[in-house]
Amino acid sequence: DTEVTQTPKHLVMGMTNKKSLKCEQHMGHRAMYWYKQKAKKPPELMFVYSYEKLSINESVPSRFSPECPNSSLLNLHLHALQPEDSALYLCASMPGTGELFFGEGSRLTVL
Amino acid sequence: QKEVEQNSGPLSVPEGAIASLNCTYSDRGSQSFFWYRQYSGKSPELIMFIYSNGDKEDGRFTAQLNKASQYVSLLIRDSQPSDSATYLCAGLDTGRRALTFGSGTRLQVQP
C-alpha cells in the first residue's frame, strides 16, 4: 500500500462551522505533514508530526488545529475559518529517504 | 531563509523536443532534491529525487545536481503533450525534515 488517503475530497463550510479533514497512510512512515496550496502557488508547510508529536507549527492561526491520534492517522480540525482559508489542503507522509508522498488533497471552500 | 527558486514560465516546447527545467537553491547544507509534477487541480506527484552531484536518469527524465553552483535541473526527453503540467522543485531541510518548494515552472508541450 503506497497511498495516502484524504477525506473528504471537497468541503464547503461557513465561517461558523466546525469540520475536520482526515488523512491516513499505511506505509509505516513516522513523519506526517499538512500543506496548504492556493491556486498557482507552491505548497506551503503548515504542520509536521514526527513520531506522533507535533514538531513544526509554521505559525498557523489557531483556527486550524492538527491532531495525530496514531502513527497512521492525521487530522486537521477547522473552526471559524475565513474565506481566505479556501485552498487545497494536502496531507503527506515521509519515509527516511526524504521524499513526500502526497494524498489527493481536500479542496476547501469557506463561504 | 532557505529558498528554492524557479522560473515560473510558461516554458513552451514542441512535441518530441527536450524540455529543460531549472532550479536554484540558497542553502548549501541541502543534500536532497526532488522534482514533482502537478497537473491542474491535482496533488503533486513525485517524478525523481537526486542526492549526489551529477546526473540521474529514469526513462525520459534526467535530473542533474550541481552542488558547487547550487542548481538542480530536470530534463524531459521526447516531450509529450501529457507532460504539460507545473513542475515543482523541492529541497529537503534536513534539520526540520520538511521540503521547501520552489514556485514551480509551468510546462506546455505543443502538439
Side-chain angles (χ1 to χ4, degrees), chain B residues 10-62:
Chain B
L11 172 66
S12 186
V13 300
E15 184 175 354
I18 295 175
S20 178
L21 303 159
N22 301 310
C23 167
T24 59
Y25 60 95
S26 62
D27 179 17
R28 284 197 170 274
S30 291
Q31 300 292 319
S32 307
F33 297 90
F34 306 85
W35 283 99
Y36 286 83
R37 176 175 63 197
Q38 187 171 26
Y39 293 111
S40 180
K42 302 294 187 183
S43 64
E45 170 193 10
L46 180 68
I47 298 175
M48 291 189 71
F49 56 85
I50 186 165
Y51 305 143
S52 304
N53 267 331
D55 296 359
K56 179 181 178 183
E57 187 174 318
D58 183 1
R60 296 188 297 114
F61 298 97
T62 299

Side-chain angles (χ1 to χ4, degrees), chain B residues 85-97:
Chain B
T86 295
Y87 288 80
L88 296 161
C89 173
L92 176 63
D93 183 331
T94 308
R96 283 159 33 102
R97 296 296 293 174

